[in-house]
Amino acid sequence: MSDVLIISAAPSHAAPTGVVVEHVAEVLRAAGHRVSLLDVRSLPTLSLLTEDLRDPEIAEAVSSVLSADGVVVASPVYRAAYSGLVKALLDLLPKKALRGRAVLPLATGGSQGFLVAMDYALHPLLAAKGADQVVRGEFVLDQNVGSAESAAALEAAADRFGAALTPRLRKVS
């Protein structure tokens, strides 16, 4: 159907954000989407932080974002802010790189108070990169990751995201 890139700032696959990413990836694959995962933590840190676009891994990461039909951005929330690695990667993108692409923000955190990071930190960052089709995302408390309730919420978010991808595919065809 469509090419989806999941940008994950999970510190590990077993961390709450990693579990959320895997669940959403499975739901999207089951719906017929081609899903690629970009673990930001696996990128060369020095090249990422110094914005070295000549580094082949950094250039490939940027190219992956620019060629995706839709982008999922998943980050743990620390002190009411997204991961610095996500910010570093998105800073490498051209100003309107996310325009015309469906974007799904996902976040995990240890306190309900961190929910504000979605509206006051992550959404403005995505908007600054031209995101004009931001699908209502999900914030999952760390303690609820893996629960039936969080699984249902993530499946609903993935469904909303999948529906947002459809108009883009019609335009391309």
Side-chain angles (χ1 to χ4, degrees), residues 82-146:
Y82 47 76
S83 165
L85 291 176
V86 166
K87 170 92 165 77
L89 176 64
L90 294 180
D91 281 349
L92 295 174
L93 300 176
K95 187 172 183 172
K96 298 298 179 187
L98 298 177
R99 178 175 282 157
R101 289 175 176 74
V103 179
L104 175 66
L106 300 173
T108 61
S111 164
Q112 192 67 33
F114 290 160
L115 175 62
V116 299
M118 293 286 283
D119 291 331
Y120 295 104
L122 192 51
H123 281 212
L125 174 64
L126 298 172
K129 292 301 173 179
D132 54 2
Q133 291 182 321
V134 179
V135 175
R136 184 171 51 86
E138 286 297 326
F139 175 84
V140 181
L141 282 171
D142 291 345
Q143 66 195 34
N144 293 341
V145 170

Side-chain angles (χ1 to χ4, degrees), residues 6 13 15-31 35 37 72 74 104 106 138 140 144-159:
I6 299 178
H13 293 293
T17 305
V19 173
V20 164
V21 162
E22 286 303 317
H23 185 76
V24 170
E26 287 176 24
V27 171
L28 292 170
R29 285 185 186 112
V35 178
L37 179 63
V72 177
L104 175 66
L106 300 173
E138 286 297 326
V140 181
N144 293 341
V145 170
S147 71
E149 182 181 331
S150 71
L154 291 169
E155 288 166 18
D159 289 344

